[in-house]
Amino acid sequence: MALKAVHVSDVPNLDQVPENASLALYSTRFSKGVDVGRGGIKIPKFLVIGHRGSGMNMLQSSDRRMKAMKENSVLSFNAAAKFAVDFIEFDVQVTKDDCPVIFHDNFILSEDNGTVYEKRVTELSLSEFLCYGPQREPGKVGKTLLRKTKDGQILSWNVEKDDPLCTLEEAFHKVSPSVGFNIELKLDDHIVYQQEHLIHVVQAILKVVFEHDKDRPIIFSTFQPDAALLVRKLQSTYPVFFLTNGGTEIYYDVRRNSLDEAMKLCLQGGLQGIVSEVKGIFRNPGAIPKIKEAKLSLLTYGKLNNVPEAVYMQHLMGVEGVIVDLVQEIAEAVSYMIKPSMEEGEEEVLGKGEGQIQVKAKPQFSERELSFLLKLIPELMQL
């Protein structure tokens, strides 16, 4: 299939609000809100975003937390909302009958009479999609749900707390209004999408968002450069972030291969920010001041974001938020991290009596020490 880039100038503008309207996103957890304007967006605090809700499922992991509850489900979203998270991140695809559904993998795997088969999510109707996994109707049994790991293993999708698959509209109605939505447009890296198809997908998602958002804070993101440009072209109400591996993986589309390319795409298309794999930031910390100078916001994702020290280091470096799997642990660590500094060696005591918990003061770095760490981190990341 020949590559056909999307020409956003050819796409009609479908903004739902006048250009000069006052645009602002807010969350009950934000002190001042996330302001959206022509000069980018202003994030007043360090954001914690729950990855696929309260964390992705890693079925092959020995860590029970990675299999606690079904990812990308209403159950997982509301579980994350109980902690100090600002947004939950999830993946949206559009079925063949134009319904935006929440699911990460491009294919659904199941088993019939001992034979494993797979079907592309976007080639299923909504009713077919919802037939997999646990069902909402009492007594109804859904089709077995399997999952293929990166190394090719096929495992039963068993978690401690399961939940039915859900639609984007359902999430708007059933998920706590205390959290914003980071909606990732999930597209297949191995498909070259035609312009008309991308427009159709984006419009189907935007229709649901505008009809059901009820002032919920929303951020759009995607790894697909043309889709990112389209979402920005078709609306100006919500910020659009470009997802990138930050140079940790190489793709045919050069726009995906570095933070510099990501920044260039954002500036050319009027996007508001970048979401980078955290290793891309640690390997190239010099990109952060450039991103800041360009008035773009910067968030990160990746396994290192489940390490409190790595999150704290990003806070010092100027990253504005992290997408995490271990929601409770990182949310609590960040809540201590952003408190006024205590004296070195001093400890804070929480609770009373036998329930007391001692919280160590966050580490303090001089400018010289911080400069040394910033130089050292890229070297460590190559090991």
Side-chain angles (χ1 to χ4, degrees), residues 257-379:
N257 288 341
S258 69
L259 287 168
D260 285 340
E261 286 293 336
M263 187 165 58
K264 188 187 303 182
L265 179 79
C266 289
L267 294 175
Q268 290 174 347
L271 309 185
Q272 283 87 0
I274 294 169
V275 186
S276 173
E277 217 291 344
V278 59
K279 290 181 181 178
I281 294 298
F282 280 154
R283 289 176 179 174
N284 184 17
I288 296 179
K290 294 179 184 178
I291 292 170
K292 295 294 183 183
E293 288 170 11
K295 295 183 178 179
L296 296 171
S297 293
L298 177 62
L299 308 174
T300 66
Y301 72 93
K303 291 180 181 178
L304 278 175
N305 281 351
N306 295 320
V307 180
E309 291 80 4
V311 171
Y312 183 67
M313 194 66 210
Q314 292 177 71
H315 171 64
L316 295 177
M317 294 166 71
V319 173
E320 292 164 276
V322 289
I323 298 174
V324 306
D325 292 299
L326 304 183
V327 170
Q328 180 177 2
E329 291 86 339
I330 300 303
E332 290 176 353
V334 168
S335 70
Y336 299 133
M337 183 176 69
I338 62 177
K339 285 185 177 181
S341 299
M342 294 180 284
E343 293 297 323
E344 186 173 356
E346 190 179 333
E347 294 185 344
E348 180 181 6
V349 178
L350 301 180
K352 296 181 179 180
E354 294 182 359
Q356 285 186 353
I357 300 175
Q358 289 188 327
V359 182
K360 292 184 178 179
K362 60 187 179 184
Q364 302 296 311
F365 298 106
S366 67
E367 288 188 14
R368 183 178 180 182
E369 290 169 332
L370 182 58
S371 176
F372 172 76
L373 286 170
L374 292 176
K375 291 176 182 177
L376 179 64
I377 285 174
E379 300 299 324

Side-chain angles (χ1 to χ4, degrees), residues 203-252:
Q203 288 179 336
I205 295 171
L206 288 178
K207 182 176 185 294
V208 172
V209 171
F210 279 117
E211 288 179 359
H212 302 282
D213 68 340
K214 290 185 168 65
D215 294 325
R216 187 189 296 268
I218 292 171
I219 294 171
F220 284 106
S221 64
T222 182
F223 283 101
Q224 221 287 348
D226 295 323
L229 296 174
L230 267 174
V231 179
R232 182 68 186 94
K233 174 65 178 177
L234 294 175
Q235 60 83 43
S236 60
T237 306
Y238 302 111
V240 181
F241 282 55
F242 180 54
L243 274 159
T244 177
N245 293 99
T248 59
E249 294 181 48
I250 300 301
Y251 295 88
Y252 175 77

